[in-house]
Amino acid sequence: MEENHILAKWLNNDLTEAELAEFKANPDYEKYEKIKNYTAHLEAPDFNEEKILENTISHKKNAPKVIPLFKKWLFKAAAVLVIGLGITFMVQNFASQTQYAPNGKRTTFLLPDNSEVVLNAGSEIEYKKWNWNNKRNLKLQGEAYFKVAKGKKFEVATDLGKVAVLGTQFNVKVRKSRFDVTCFEGRVKVNYKEKEVILTHGQSVTFENGKQINTTINASKPEWLENAITFNKENLPNLLDEIQRQYNISIEVKAKYSDELFTGKIPIDNLDVALRIIATTYHLEPNKIAPNKIIFEGK
């Protein structure tokens, strides 16, 4: 009741400076502001109090009735609330939902069917709640691990290819021109351009620049969930891109380096160790010029 009173005073511009400051701190303030702007062009119908009173007196009634007369802002507040509920329902169900993991962070969330998704750093997923159980489709940019609840076909679309399953656990990674899919449980179907590959437990496939590489794994889940990343024949630029993404830092190389491809693990919870591994492999010297800025120079 108190919240409705404050909302009504805000709509009528009756809040004191202190009350306004407290209201703006409300987590729902941005939503109220959007609704207010959206309905600003709406006008409540003219309310002729004298006409209503005249009509009431001119009609004889067996029992007198009391007709409350309200201020115009109350009708407007009611209209705003009704429209707001409608807009909120549409946004929550029909509009696209976006989950994002910024550099240096991970995001874990549940889809409407309780399928679990873990987004790796620098990744994003977009989906719609409406009719989800019949159309479980989403769009991925970056990398994510999925634990899919059983149900109808579940499809992950990326800029490089698609992955379709019924109920399983798998990892999808899309970085630049490289597309990796690993199946940890069940079966997944991978579509990449003209190719279609079926993966079962312990199988992984990589597509890059038209080339396909099939590998087997022994892990029960992605190693990045345990703060390590395994690279297989990766060049230094892509290696540094991933390090920058995981640690939310900037890295610059001011030296010539070999075209040697890196195969091995790099931790994503210990920057000093990660930098030493890269420095040793490529004969470079890391220098921290700021907390989030690294420069590799030649030894």
Side-chain angles (χ1 to χ4, degrees):
M1 182 64 101
E2 178 65 19
E3 182 177 352
N4 291 338
H5 176 66
I6 294 297
L7 177 60
K9 289 183 67 177
W10 173 67
L11 288 170
N12 206 35
N13 296 318
D14 287 337
L15 291 178
T16 65
E17 291 185 5
E19 289 174 331
L20 181 59
E22 183 178 357
F23 183 74
K24 287 184 176 181
N26 189 311
D28 290 328
Y29 175 75
E30 185 177 349
K31 179 180 71 177
Y32 291 144
E33 185 69 20
K34 289 181 180 179
I35 294 173
K36 182 179 179 182
N37 293 335
Y38 178 80
T39 57
H41 66 285
L42 298 178
E43 293 185 6
D46 291 337
F47 189 75
N48 192 326
E49 298 179 7
E50 294 182 359
K51 185 66 176 178
I52 290 178
L53 183 59
E54 180 183 339
N55 290 338
T56 302
I57 296 174
S58 66
H59 289 80
K60 293 182 179 181
K61 302 293 182 178
N62 293 328
K65 293 184 178 180
V66 178
I67 301 177
L69 302 178
F70 300 99
K71 293 182 179 180
K72 288 184 179 181
W73 64 261
L74 187 57
F75 288 97
K76 196 167 185 178
V80 168
L81 290 175
V82 171
I83 293 173
L85 289 174
I87 293 174
T88 300
F89 176 81
M90 292 180 65
V91 168
Q92 290 180 345
N93 292 277
F94 292 96
S96 294
Q97 308 291 314
T98 301
Q99 293 285 348
Y100 176 65
N103 288 347
K105 302 287 184 180
R106 295 179 196 160
T107 298
T108 301
F109 64 97
L110 294 178
L111 292 167
D113 60 352
N114 286 325
S115 294
E116 182 181 344
V117 182
V118 185
L119 277 176
N120 203 350
S123 303
E124 181 179 301
I125 273 181
E126 184 178 313
Y127 68 97
K128 291 183 179 180
K129 289 183 177 180
W130 180 251
N131 199 31
W132 173 260
N133 288 334
N134 293 317
K135 192 174 182 181
R136 303 194 296 176
N137 296 346
L138 53 82
K139 179 69 181 293
L140 168 68
Q141 294 180 358
E143 182 174 13
Y145 172 61
F146 298 87
K147 296 176 72 173
V148 179
K150 291 184 179 180
K152 293 190 177 181
K153 184 174 71 171
F154 185 102
E155 186 173 272
V156 179
T158 75
D159 290 337
L160 297 181
K162 293 182 178 181
V163 181
V165 301
L166 293 178
T168 186
Q169 298 182 30
F170 62 101
N171 192 82
V172 182
K173 182 178 182 180
V174 184
R175 301 294 191 194
K176 295 183 177 179
S177 61
R178 181 163 175 158
F179 181 38
D180 297 278
V181 181
T182 303
C183 179
F184 295 95
E185 180 183 286
R187 242 165 68 110
V188 301
K189 180 174 70 173
V190 183
N191 290 98
Y192 175 80
K193 296 183 178 179
E194 303 292 322
K195 298 179 180 180
E196 180 176 296
V197 178
I198 302 295
L199 301 178
T200 58
H201 168 71
Q203 294 182 331
S204 180
V205 65
T206 297
F207 296 99
E208 186 170 18
N209 299 323
K211 295 182 180 180
Q212 177 180 334
I213 301 175
N214 293 81
T215 55
T216 57
I217 60 167
N218 295 318
S220 60
K221 58 183 176 181
E223 292 178 325
W224 59 267
L225 291 178
E226 298 179 340
N227 297 317
I229 295 184
T230 297
F231 296 93
N232 183 29
K233 296 181 179 180
E234 192 66 84
N235 60 44
L236 181 58
N238 288 344
L239 192 65
L240 295 181
D241 281 346
E242 192 63 40
I243 297 300
Q244 292 177 103
R245 187 179 297 113
Q246 295 297 331
Y247 288 99
N248 193 25
I249 60 174
S250 174
I251 298 178
E252 183 180 353
V253 179
K254 291 185 175 181
K256 290 185 178 181
Y257 54 87
S258 68
D259 294 330
E260 181 180 355
L261 299 179
F262 178 84
T263 297
K265 289 184 181 181
I266 290 184
I268 54 177
D269 60 350
N270 191 320
L271 179 58
D272 290 335
V273 172
L275 295 177
R276 283 201 300 270
I277 292 174
I278 296 172
T280 301
T281 303
Y282 291 92
H283 307 291
L284 299 171
E285 186 68 36
N287 293 310
K288 288 186 180 181
I289 62 173
N292 62 344
K293 175 70 174 181
I294 310 296
I295 292 181
F296 277 112
E297 299 176 338
K299 287 186 176 180

